[in-house]
């Protein structure tokens, strides 16, 4: 059974079709990199998966369960949609940390807010929060930020902020972790530290979808590559497609990228 199955996703803004029937599958623990030129639909696809946008057609299954069906989406309650959204974690390219909170509080915030909806919250608040805080410390250590756990985002470099953003996304224990060009806002010397963390997540059997322009990284860490062009998947396969592209569109993209 696939961890992620995307079927026939269509999305448009006004009269402009951005996604034109996207289909793919991803197995548990696999890493998928999505590449393509700006405007090809990469980020829109990621936003549809994570409920930041709503597709007009298609469906999404996670671990065999339907988490999105365009035909019935209008009848899904906001609470049910929120539960389904928790299947995905999203790391933004611009970090999006809360500036008024420390590293520790940024990682704890969402789980603590979500915990308030638990039936046993009032009776077990202290134990619940202790568990959340212990998990946050472990995640902060995992991304190499323990020494800066009490610092604020303004005191951190871009690479450090992105590592905190990864820990924050992991704090809700998503089944699939998504990255929207996680190094595009970083200076080249800071890119390596973020890519190192993502590599470590692969070693931990984390299922990931990564929109990226880092071709070498995509080839190294990915199990599958999708090349998007004008709203469709123009080519997909193993990372070898970056060395031996079959379509003229991917060849042209790679040639332009390497110039």
């Amino acid at each position: 059974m696939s961890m992620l199955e995307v079927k026939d996703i269509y999305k448009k803004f006004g009269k402009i079709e951005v996604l034109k029937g996207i289909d793919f599958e991803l197995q548990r623990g696999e890493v998928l990199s999505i590449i393509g030129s700006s405007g090809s639909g990469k980020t829109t696809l990621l936003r549809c998966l994570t409920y930041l946008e709503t597709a007009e057609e298609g469906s999404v299954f996670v671990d065999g369960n339907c988490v999105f069906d365009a035909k019935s989406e209008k009848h899904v309650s906001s609470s049910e949609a929120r539960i389904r959204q928790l299947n995905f974690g999203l790391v933004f390219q611009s970090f999006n940390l809360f500036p008024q909170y420390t590293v520790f509080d940024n990682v704890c915030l969402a789980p603590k807010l979500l915990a308030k909806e638990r039936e046993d919250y009032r009776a077990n608040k202290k134990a619940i929060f202790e568990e959340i805080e212990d998990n946050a410390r472990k995640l902060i250590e995992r991304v190499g930020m323990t020494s800066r756990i009490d610092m604020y985002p303004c005191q951190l470099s871009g690479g450090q902020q992105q590592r905190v953003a990864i820990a924050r996304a992991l704090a809700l224990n998503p089944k699939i972790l998504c990255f929207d060009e996680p190094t595009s806002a970083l200076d080249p010397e800071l890119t390596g530290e973020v890519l190192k963390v993502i590599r470590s997540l692969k070693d931990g059997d984390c299922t990931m979808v990564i929109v990226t322009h880092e071709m070498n990284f995509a080839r190294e860490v990915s199990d599958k590559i999708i090349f998007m062009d004008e709203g469709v998947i123009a080519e997909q396969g193993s990372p070898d497609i970056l060395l031996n592209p079959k379509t003229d569109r991917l060849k042209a993209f790679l040639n332009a990228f390497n110039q």
Side-chain angles (χ1 to χ4, degrees):
M1 180 185 299
S2 301
M3 172 57 78
L4 175 63
E5 187 174 3
V6 176
K7 294 184 176 181
D8 211 27
I9 292 292
Y10 284 79
K11 175 64 181 176
K12 61 182 179 180
F13 295 101
K15 296 182 179 180
I16 300 175
E17 286 190 309
V18 180
L19 301 177
K20 307 170 186 177
I22 302 297
D23 294 272
F24 66 87
E25 294 184 16
L26 193 60
Q27 303 301 314
R28 187 184 307 274
E30 286 188 330
V31 177
L32 168 69
S33 287
I34 303 176
I35 63 172
S37 303
S38 297
S40 61
K42 308 184 303 297
T43 295
T44 298
L45 173 58
L46 207 62
R47 289 176 65 86
C48 287
L49 291 179
T50 55
Y51 284 83
L52 295 178
E53 300 287 352
T54 302
E56 283 84 20
E57 297 181 39
S59 56
V60 178
F61 294 81
V62 174
D63 210 10
N65 299 310
C66 183
V67 299
F68 174 80
D69 185 348
K71 295 180 180 178
S72 59
E73 189 63 17
K74 292 181 180 180
H75 304 291
V76 176
S77 66
S78 58
S79 59
E80 176 65 19
R82 186 166 64 253
I83 291 171
R84 293 180 179 183
Q85 188 177 24
L86 292 174
N87 285 290
F88 297 90
L90 177 60
V91 179
F92 298 90
Q93 57 181 295
S94 55
F95 323 135
N96 286 9
L97 298 178
F98 294 103
Q100 70 272 34
Y101 295 131
T102 64
V103 168
F104 181 67
D105 291 334
N106 262 283
V107 178
C108 288
L109 181 61
K112 285 184 175 180
L113 291 174
L114 191 64
K116 294 180 179 180
E117 299 181 11
R118 290 175 50 165
E119 293 182 359
D120 63 340
Y121 173 72
R122 290 189 177 183
N124 299 301
K125 177 180 176 181
K126 182 178 179 181
I128 291 171
F129 275 21
E130 286 177 352
E131 182 179 356
I132 290 171
E133 291 173 358
D134 182 58
N135 185 55
R137 293 187 186 95
K138 291 177 181 177
L139 290 173
I140 291 168
E141 180 181 7
R142 186 176 181 181
V143 299
M145 291 295 294
T146 299
S147 63
R148 294 168 175 80
I149 195 169
D150 294 319
M151 291 185 176
Y152 291 86
C154 65
Q155 298 173 297
L156 305 176
S157 69
Q160 291 167 345
Q161 289 186 60
Q162 192 63 297
R163 283 190 275 162
V164 176
I166 293 172
R168 181 180 62 178
L170 289 169
L172 291 174
N173 195 30
K175 293 183 177 179
I176 300 162
L177 187 59
C178 301
F179 295 85
D180 185 11
E181 299 187 16
T183 61
S184 66
L186 302 179
D187 294 330
E189 62 268 23
L190 299 177
T191 295
E193 64 185 63
V194 173
L195 298 184
K196 182 179 179 181
V197 171
I198 298 175
R199 288 188 190 96
S200 73
L201 297 178
K202 176 178 172 64
D203 294 337
D205 204 32
C206 183
T207 306
M208 293 183 277
V209 178
I210 307 171
V211 170
T212 184
H213 284 117
E214 297 282 343
M215 295 299 119
N216 290 334
F217 172 73
R219 187 169 61 249
E220 175 189 340
V221 77
S222 304
D223 297 288
K224 294 180 179 179
I225 302 281
I226 281 178
F227 167 60
M228 293 189 64
D229 185 57
E230 297 183 356
V232 302
I233 295 177
E235 190 169 342
Q236 63 178 309
S238 73
D240 289 342
I241 69 171
L242 297 179
L243 299 175
N244 300 294
K246 296 179 180 179
T247 64
D248 290 338
R249 285 192 282 186
L250 180 53
K251 291 177 183 177
F253 169 76
L254 293 173
N255 287 336
F257 184 85
N258 291 323
Q259 287 179 357

